[in-house]
Amino acid sequence: MMFQGLRLTGIGGRDYVLGDGIEVYDGESLIGRVQSVRLSPDGAEVLIENFIQMRFEDFRVGALPRLVLAEVVNFIVERHPGIHLVGIELSRHIPEFQGREALLTSIRSEILASIGAQDVHVTPRPQAGEKGSFAVTGIWRYDSASVAVLAATLRTQREAYGAIRNAPPANARRRLARLLPGKT
């Protein structure tokens, strides 16, 4: 079965209300959360920030950040046609990147560009006890070029994620390769 995408809801699996946080599910597994979705006074813009990837041992694939972000932006603009601009801030400290903040900043910038965000900027964000903290921000505008880039990224990332998600575990592949030489 082809992977169709992630399921997004309000917090606690409730129906989504614009301005509330967003939870991202793969089936029944919560894989991520956008804790802050702020709506502009005129209702035409939102700012999304405070992305959190959930940790759990039995989820072998993990969340693909590019897919999760693309799904969130798509979810907002498809369900709320009055939204013409989505501001995005990626700034959460990730301990695994301690000492490699420049790499994390580069990855985040590339992720924003890959979904059609423009005006991507990196800004130092000093946080107590954390060296090298930066916020990477971008603006996704609802226009034909951004919609096309977002759609292409969703398609590509869903295919890649589906292939990984549906692949047998590595040790099962090795056993199959021994049983069926030249067939895997």
Side-chain angles (χ1 to χ4, degrees):
M1 182 171 111
M2 188 170 144
F3 178 71
Q4 298 297 311
L6 303 174
R7 181 173 57 90
L8 286 79
T9 69
I11 301 299
R14 296 187 310 260
D15 287 341
Y16 183 69
V17 175
L18 188 59
D20 289 348
I22 299 171
E23 290 187 340
V24 182
Y25 291 87
D26 180 355
E28 296 304 311
S29 298
L30 176 62
I31 63 171
R33 179 179 291 139
V34 178
Q35 295 200 143
S36 178
V37 179
R38 291 188 279 162
L39 187 61
S40 67
D42 68 358
E45 302 175 6
V46 295
L47 172 63
I48 56 177
E49 55 189 344
N50 298 320
F51 286 77
I52 296 175
Q53 181 175 326
M54 300 300 158
R55 300 195 185 277
F56 38 91
E57 294 73 34
D58 63 337
F59 193 69
R60 81 172 182 214
V61 179
L64 296 177
R66 185 182 323 244
L67 175 60
V68 171
L69 183 59
E71 294 277 8
V72 166
V73 171
N74 188 60
F75 178 76
I76 290 171
V77 299
E78 272 192 350
R79 292 180 182 251
H80 303 282
I83 299 297
H84 299 287
L85 184 142
V86 179
I88 304 162
E89 179 179 298
L90 305 175
S91 60
R92 188 175 65 83
H93 175 72
I94 300 176
E96 293 83 18
F97 281 90
Q98 189 69 35
R100 299 182 305 148
E101 289 81 5
L103 175 60
L104 179 60
T105 300
S106 174
I107 291 168
R108 287 176 169 170
S109 297
E110 197 278 321
I111 287 171
L112 288 177
S114 77
I115 66 163
Q118 303 164 6
D119 303 321
V120 176
H121 297 283
V122 177
T123 309
R125 172 162 288 170
Q127 295 181 19
E130 296 175 10
K131 290 192 228 174
S133 294
F134 293 90
V136 180
T137 59
I139 297 172
W140 189 91
R141 290 180 175 82
Y142 191 91
D143 59 34
S144 58
S146 296
V147 168
V149 170
L150 180 63
T153 297
L154 274 171
R155 205 171 28 258
T156 301
Q157 293 304 309
R158 284 175 178 168
E159 287 173 10
Y161 184 78
I164 293 168
R165 182 179 174 264
N166 296 326
N171 56 358
R173 277 183 276 186
R174 281 193 294 270
R175 279 184 272 147
L176 279 173
R178 280 186 297 219
L179 293 172
L180 304 168
K183 302 288 183 187
T184 57

